[in-house]
Each structure stands twice: as structure tokens, then as C-alpha cells.
Amino acid sequence: MDYGTLQGILTIIVMIVFIGIFAWAYSSRQKKNFDEAANLVFSDEESSKKENNKDSGEQK
């Protein structure tokens, strides 16, 4: 097996892995998980605001 054949096989393997990751990322089964992960930032901000208010002694 020469270098060109090995390089071609490796290119095909990398392309298959890329297509697999692309299909996984855009599959409808993952949408719920990705939506929850996208909203984690906002839920963390709300809890940190509550902690900051409690730590600073402010009362509302």
C-alpha cells in the first residue's frame, strides 16, 4: 500500500466521521437536548443574581 492509497482511505474515513457528526447535530432527536443546553446560560444568570442580592444585603 503506497502513501497515496493510505491518504485516500484516511480522507474517506474523515469525511464519513464529519457527515456522521453533522447528521447527529442536526437530527430531530437531539433538538430537545440542544434547546436545554442553549438555555442553561439564562438559568445560571437568574440564580447568580439571587445569590448576589443575598450576599450584598439588599432586600426587595
Side-chain angles (χ1 to χ4, degrees), residues 23-36:
W24 170 77
Y26 284 98
S27 70
S28 60
R29 290 185 288 174
Q30 297 297 325
K31 182 168 177 40
K32 180 183 175 190
N33 294 334
F34 289 146
D35 287 342
E36 288 176 8

Side-chain angles (χ1 to χ4, degrees), residues 4-57:
T5 304
L6 183 62
Q7 195 173 17
I9 292 171
L10 185 61
T11 301
I12 291 171
I13 291 171
V14 170
M15 187 174 64
I16 290 169
V17 169
F18 176 78
I19 291 170
I21 292 172
F22 186 83
W24 170 77
Y26 284 98
S27 70
S28 60
R29 290 185 288 174
Q30 297 297 325
K31 182 168 177 40
K32 180 183 175 190
N33 294 334
F34 289 146
D35 287 342
E36 288 176 8
N39 289 322
L40 282 176
V41 175
F42 302 117
S43 66
D44 189 37
E45 286 180 3
E46 292 172 2
S47 64
S48 66
K49 285 181 184 177
K50 290 178 185 177
E51 290 175 7
N52 288 341
N53 287 340
K54 184 172 41 172
D55 292 342
S56 65

